[in-house]
Amino acid sequence: MHMNTPKIFPLFLAALAFTATSGFCDPIQDPIADFLSMNVTDRIEYSGTPEVVRRVKIDVDGDGNAEVFIGVPYLYSGAKSDFNWTCYMPVEGGYQRITPADKDISIPSFDKIFAGNLVEVSKEGLAYASGVTVDNPRDANVSGVESLHFFTITNNALVEEDRGALNLSVQADKKIYDRYFGPDRKTRSVTSSNTFTIQQLQQMGYTIPNWEPPPP
């Protein structure tokens, strides 16, 4: 297999103290309100006060219950259309945040994301490809992937694994790419996707944070 040695970057090394039955804290009732209240330094540096907030629901671990991703674009990161997210898992009485309290995760788009069995790790989860190289724009022929990313839920935490590059001229790598992104792939679909403007959120009663950097 022509792939880099897998490198695992856990977004949360251990489960949060809360579980559905632990009683350590109350479940989160509204993921959007929780997201807007978070203190994430990168949002000040890369996002600024958001113009839109997106909510995406997709079943990550195949248990029949959709996780909720709340995100904003990081306009000053060099990729203005790419969103960064916080993920929430449904639990009894509400939701549990399963990504760090001080850091968003990068998933550029859910449009082509894969949700299902990740063969290489024998687990249900998400897969997306970053840095896709197209050698013939006319027929959109993909020749390479800079990095294949897996997301799985372990101990009530969303964990990311960088599986490395794919060279589609190598048959083993092409098979992997086609499994997750080819025309015959078998994937769970996004349950819902909603984009809210700041004006809409204000009308719905949300407090909009000021994520602009302080004046010099």
Side-chain angles (χ1 to χ4, degrees):
M1 182 183 298
H2 183 76
M3 295 184 65
N4 293 347
T5 301
K7 298 172 287 183
I8 299 177
F9 299 100
L11 296 177
F12 235 172
L13 296 180
L16 297 175
F18 167 79
T19 65
T21 59
S22 67
F24 290 171
C25 65
D26 294 330
I28 293 167
Q29 298 302 311
D30 187 337
I32 292 179
D34 180 77
F35 177 86
L36 292 173
S37 70
M38 292 171 63
N39 182 16
V40 178
T41 302
D42 282 351
R43 294 181 192 171
I44 296 174
E45 183 171 358
Y46 298 116
S47 174
T49 299
E51 298 178 359
V52 297
V53 173
R54 185 167 293 170
R55 180 181 63 198
V56 173
K57 297 182 180 181
I58 187 170
D59 183 359
V60 175
D61 55 2
D63 67 352
N65 298 307
E67 277 64 42
V68 178
F69 290 80
I70 308 295
V72 293
Y74 274 23
L75 298 175
Y76 311 126
S77 66
K80 294 184 178 181
S81 62
D82 288 358
F83 275 67
N84 288 259
W85 309 85
T86 293
C87 183
Y88 300 84
M89 179 176 68
V91 295
E92 183 178 353
Y95 296 88
Q96 173 182 346
R97 191 192 310 124
I98 59 172
T99 46
D102 60 352
K103 183 179 178 63
D104 294 324
I105 62 170
S106 176
I107 299 178
S109 171
F110 281 86
D111 291 343
K112 297 182 179 180
I113 204 161
F114 171 87
N117 182 34
L118 305 176
V119 174
E120 290 76 14
V121 295
S122 301
K123 195 167 184 178
E124 295 282 322
L126 304 179
Y128 83 85
S130 64
V132 175
T133 300
V134 179
D135 62 7
N136 186 344
R138 179 175 297 178
D139 59 13
N141 182 49
V142 175
S143 61
V145 168
E146 185 177 287
S147 186
L148 174 66
H149 296 261
F150 285 174
F151 286 96
T152 56
I153 296 176
T154 302
N155 296 327
N156 295 336
L158 189 70
V159 177
E160 179 181 7
E161 179 179 350
D162 181 349
R163 299 289 301 182
L166 298 176
N167 178 357
L168 271 64
S169 66
V170 176
Q171 187 60 34
D173 283 11
K174 187 177 189 308
K175 183 178 180 181
I176 293 171
Y177 180 86
D178 287 344
R179 177 187 301 131
Y180 299 124
F181 311 110
D184 299 324
R185 69 180 185 157
K186 294 178 173 59
T187 179
R188 293 186 290 275
S189 300
V190 168
T191 304
S192 67
S193 179
N194 305 98
T195 300
F196 305 96
T197 66
I198 290 305
Q199 291 76 17
Q200 288 174 321
L201 291 174
Q202 287 174 326
Q203 292 172 0
M204 294 162 67
Y206 290 101
T207 299
I208 307 305
N210 177 11
W211 291 334
E212 300 296 337

